[in-house]
Amino acid sequence: MTALELKNISVIYGENTPFRKAALNNINVSFEKGSITGIIGHTGSGKSTLASLTNGLLKPTEGEILLYGENIWDKPKEMVKVRSRVGLVFQYPEYQLFDETVESDIAFGPKNIGLSEEEIKERVRLASEFCGLTQKELRRSPFELSGGQKRRAAIAGVIAMMPEVLVLDEPAAGLDPKGKEEILSGLVEYKNAYGATLLIISHSMEDIARYADNILVMKQGEVYMQGNVEEIFMQAEKLFDANLDVPQITKLFIELKKRNLCRSNDVYTVGYAKKEIEKLIKDSENA
Amino acid sequence: MLKDVTFGQYYPGNSLLHKTDPRIKMIILIEYLVIVLAATTEIAALVSLSFTLFLITVSGIRFSVLIKSVKPLIFVLVFTAVINLFFTKADTRPLVDFYFITIYKEGIKTAVMMLLRLVSLVLGTSVLISFTTSPLELTDAIESLLSPLKAIKVPVHEFAMMMSIALRFIPTLIEETNKIISAQKARCADFESGNILKRVKSLIPILIPLFVSSI
Ligand SMILES: Nc1ncnc2c1ncn2[C@@H]1O[C@H](COP(=O)(O)OP(=O)(O)OP(=O)(O)O)[C@@H](O)[C@H]1O
Ligand SMILES: [Mg+2]
C-alpha cells in the first residue's frame, strides 16, 4: 500500500523576486507503507525542501501530495491533523526544545493534538523508550542535557504524536557511532511496532546501507535515481557523477573487482562483506 | 507570518536608484518626507504622489513586492482612514446624516489625503532606502553625513558601527525565528486561533528557543 505519494511536484522559492530559485522540478515518487527510504543528494539538491512538503509546512508551487490517497491540501483547515500523521524532524532539531522539563517538552505535540492526560503520559513514556531516554533525564531541563540527549528528546517530541509517516532530516548528523546506532535502531523499532513509514535524509552511505530498504537519489531538484539499496549502490559510477559516494566497503569491493580478485559488485554492508571475503579465502585455499 | 515581512530588505538591482550615492538618497528622503507631510492642498498632494510614482518607476522594484511591504500596515491605514472619515466636522451640509453617523465632504477629503500620505511615506522610504541601499552602504552614508558632529565629540563612528551590527543580524534573527516556528508547527502548534491570551501563550515555544540560541 502506498503511504505517501508526491505527484508532479515543483517548488519555486521567491517567485517574482530577484532571488527566484527552483528547488524542486517535477518530482514523482511514492513511499510504500512500512518501508524505510533513504534520501541522498548533494548539498542544495532539494532534500530538506522535499521533507517540508510532506507535512504541509511548505505548499508546492505545483503538484499534489497524497497521504494514503488523500490530497493534504484539500482541507487546509485540517493541516494540524496532517502534521500529527506525518511527523517531521528537522536538521539539528535541538533548537525546538523549550519547556521546563524534557517530559513536558515531549508532551507538547500530543497536547496540541488534544489528547487526554493519561494518553499523553503513555505517549511520552513510549516515545522516550524508543529514543532511549531514561526516567531521570525526563525530569531534567532540556537545556541541561548533552547534545546527543537533546537530539533524542527532540526526536521523541515528534514520535510522541505517533505519526504514520516519519520524516527525518539528518537525524544522526554529528553524533558518535554508538549514539547514532541507538537512535537509528530506535526509529526502526518504532516503525516495526506501528507499521509506520520512514523517510531518512542522510549523508552517510553506511547508515543508509544498513537501515534503508530503498534509496531516492536527488540531483539539482530532480529525482536522479530510485530503487532498492542494492540496485543503487551497484551503480557506483552514476553516484560519483552526482557528487555522491557509496559505502566504504562497497568501494573496497569495486577495487577488488578491478583487480579480478572477486566477482560480486553488490556488497554494501559489513556483514555481507565478511561472508564474501571468507568465501574468497576458501576459494583460494582450494585452488 | 514573518516570511511576508519585506519591509527593510535590500533587493539587489541595477537601477539608477541603486547606483545613486546613498548620502544623496538620504538627503532626498528627508526632503521628500517634509514635502509629503507638508502637502495639504490637492495640487501639492498630486505633485508628491507623482514624485512617489516616479521614484518607484526608477527603482525598478516590482509592484507585487511593494504591495507586500505595505500589507503589514493595512490595519493602521484603514484605522486612520476610518477615523478621519467619521470624525471630521465641518460647517457644510453633511453628505450622509444617519443617526450618529455623519460624513462630510471634508471628511472624505482628509481620509483620502491621509491614506495617500501614509502610503507615500512607506513606499518612498522603502524605494529610496530599504530596497535599493545595502545595509553597509546605509551605515557608511549615515556616518559620513553625521561626521561634522565629530567636532563636538559625538561618537559618530561607534554609532554607525552599532547600527551596522544590528542591521546585519536582522536577517539571521528572522531566519532563526522561521526555523523555530516551522519546528513547533511540525509538532502541531497553533499560532493563529484562540483569544489574545492563548495567542500570546502560544509564542512561548518560539521565544524561549530564540533567547537560548542568541545567548
Ligand atoms: N527558504 C528558502 N528560500 C529560498 N531558497 C531556498 C530556501 N530554502 C532552500 N532554498 C534553496 O533551494 C535549494 C534546495 O535547498 P534544500 O535545503 O532543500 O537542499 P538540501 O538538499 O536539503 O541541502 P543540504 O544537504 O545542504 O541540507 C537550495 O539551492 C537552496 O538555496
Ligand atoms: Mg537540508
Side-chain angles (χ1 to χ4, degrees), chain A residues 13-14 19 21-23 41-50 91 169-170 203:
Chain A
Y13 285 115
F19 312 106
K21 165 92 200 166
H42 191 54
T43 300
S45 57
K47 306 181 296 294
S48 300
T49 304
L50 186 103
Q91 221 159 352
D169 199 344
E170 301 263 2
H203 277 121

Side-chain angles (χ1 to χ4, degrees), chain A residues 16-19 55 57 80 83-84 86-88 90 95-98 105-106 108-109 112-113 143 154 157-158 161, chain B residues 9-12 62 64-65 68 176 179-190 204-205 208-209 212-213:
Chain A
N16 296 331
T17 72
F19 312 106
N55 74 342
L57 271 176
V80 167
R83 289 185 188 144
S84 71
V86 181
L88 175 55
F90 282 88
Y95 60 80
Q96 74 184 33
L97 301 170
F98 73 96
D105 199 283
I106 298 176
F108 183 65
N112 288 332
I113 306 173
F143 304 110
V158 174
M161 299 189 298
Chain B
Q9 260 182 25
Y10 177 54
Y11 270 74
R62 273 169 194 265
S64 58
V65 174
K68 259 192 186 172
E176 196 84 354
K179 233 171 69 174
I180 296 169
I181 291 177
S182 296
Q184 308 303 23
K185 270 192 182 166
R187 291 204 279 165
C188 297
D190 177 13
I204 294 175
I208 292 182
V212 170
S213 71

Side-chain angles (χ1 to χ4, degrees), chain A residues 55-252:
Chain A
N55 74 342
L57 271 176
L58 182 69
K59 192 170 184 187
T61 318
E62 247 170 75
E64 35 189 51
I65 298 145
L66 306 176
L67 178 61
Y68 286 103
E70 271 178 59
N71 186 344
I72 62 169
W73 285 98
D74 270 355
K75 296 175 193 147
K77 289 242 167 70
E78 291 177 20
M79 202 45 96
V80 167
K81 184 118 185 278
V82 170
R83 289 185 188 144
S84 71
R85 293 176 66 196
V86 181
L88 175 55
V89 178
F90 282 88
Q91 221 159 352
Y92 296 100
E94 295 83 83
Y95 60 80
Q96 74 184 33
L97 301 170
F98 73 96
D99 222 331
E100 272 169 70
T101 65
V102 175
E103 191 169 17
S104 53
D105 199 283
I106 298 176
F108 183 65
K111 221 185 261 169
N112 288 332
I113 306 173
L115 298 175
S116 69
E117 281 291 319
E118 289 137 58
E119 204 156 351
I120 293 176
K121 255 201 168 135
E122 176 64 11
R123 294 254 181 132
V124 172
R125 193 186 63 77
L126 279 170
S128 51
E129 246 165 49
F130 283 120
C131 295
L133 287 162
T134 62
Q135 281 298 318
K136 205 173 127 222
E137 282 155 3
L138 281 182
R139 280 191 300 273
R140 290 175 68 184
S141 155
F143 304 110
E144 291 170 359
L145 299 180
S146 74
Q149 289 166 333
K150 273 188 195 159
R151 180 75 56 85
R152 285 162 203 244
I155 296 177
V158 174
I159 288 192
M161 299 189 298
M162 303 259 145
E164 295 155 57
V165 178
L166 184 55
V167 185
L168 303 112
D169 199 344
E170 301 263 2
L175 295 180
D176 64 293
K178 186 149 174 285
K180 201 181 226 184
E181 194 184 316
E182 281 170 3
I183 286 188
L184 291 174
S185 53
L187 292 173
V188 176
E189 252 168 61
Y190 169 71
K191 184 219 88 169
N192 288 337
Y194 294 92
T197 309
L198 292 192
L199 275 60
I200 303 179
I201 298 174
S202 177
H203 277 121
S204 159
M205 299 303 145
E206 275 73 23
D207 292 348
I208 297 273
R210 177 136 181 224
Y211 294 99
D213 311 314
N214 304 309
I215 300 183
L216 177 71
V217 188
M218 308 277 305
K219 188 186 174 191
Q220 292 172 357
E222 289 181 17
V223 174
Y224 181 62
M225 292 161 85
Q226 202 177 353
N228 65 36
V229 177
E230 261 164 70
E231 285 165 4
I232 300 296
F233 283 143
M234 252 160 55
Q235 308 174 51
E237 290 300 326
K238 209 171 163 194
L239 284 173
F240 296 149
D241 283 345
N243 287 317
L244 290 168
D245 222 338
V246 293
Q248 293 288 335
I249 200 79
T250 311
K251 269 194 197 160
L252 172 71

